[in-house]
Amino acid sequence: MKSIIFHLVPVAVSMIWLISYNNTCNVIALKGPDFLKFYMLLLTGFYLSVYALKFLNKALSKTTFYFLMTIFILGIVKLMRGLYLGKPIGYLLIILIIESVVILFYRFTYFNQKFK
């Protein structure tokens, strides 16, 4: 339960930022630079919550993986929208590649710890 609360804090902070600075709740309709700011705020907060859980010696659960996948899918949806509209997607593509490497690293590390 604590891991869910730890992971919901960055989501809440990024949504508060979104509402206060862009006056919208629709993440997909954001322009490119605003979406990248939102996405990087969300990713940074999420990874800080993961490190906070590790610092407190709490086990990373499947909830962490589900949050990772949800954030990744949000980026994929925005990438597809950018491709469809013919917008530049270079920065988002680089972020998604790095994020996919982190997700693969997490999955292999999680399973190695689980089966030992």
Side-chain angles (χ1 to χ4, degrees):
M1 183 67 179
K2 286 184 181 182
S3 65
I4 293 174
I5 294 171
F6 267 93
H7 296 318
L8 282 178
V9 170
V11 173
V13 168
S14 58
M15 289 304 290
I16 290 170
W17 177 86
L18 182 67
I19 292 169
S20 64
Y21 284 103
N22 294 312
N23 298 324
T24 185
C25 289
N26 189 358
V27 177
I28 303 300
L30 287 175
K31 299 275 184 189
D34 291 332
F35 178 77
L36 287 176
K37 289 176 191 173
F38 169 79
Y39 199 68
M40 288 305 294
L41 181 66
L42 182 63
L43 278 177
T44 305
F46 177 76
Y47 288 127
L48 286 175
S49 70
V50 169
Y51 287 125
L53 284 174
K54 283 186 176 182
F55 181 74
L56 295 173
N57 292 328
K58 301 290 181 185
L60 297 178
S61 62
K62 288 189 177 188
T63 306
T64 304
F65 180 71
Y66 295 143
F67 271 94
L68 269 174
M69 290 308 297
T70 304
I71 294 170
F72 185 72
I73 290 170
L74 174 66
I76 294 292
V77 167
K78 187 63 178 175
L79 180 77
M80 291 299 140
R81 186 168 192 263
L83 284 172
Y84 178 73
L85 296 175
K87 301 290 182 180
I89 53 155
Y91 290 121
L92 183 59
L93 188 64
I94 291 170
I95 291 169
L96 288 174
I97 290 170
I98 292 170
E99 190 178 356
S100 64
V101 169
V102 169
I103 289 172
L104 289 174
F105 177 75
Y106 171 73
R107 288 295 286 182
F108 289 133
T109 305
Y110 174 72
F111 281 125
N112 285 342
Q113 290 176 356
K114 186 176 180 180
F115 290 125
K116 282 186 177 181

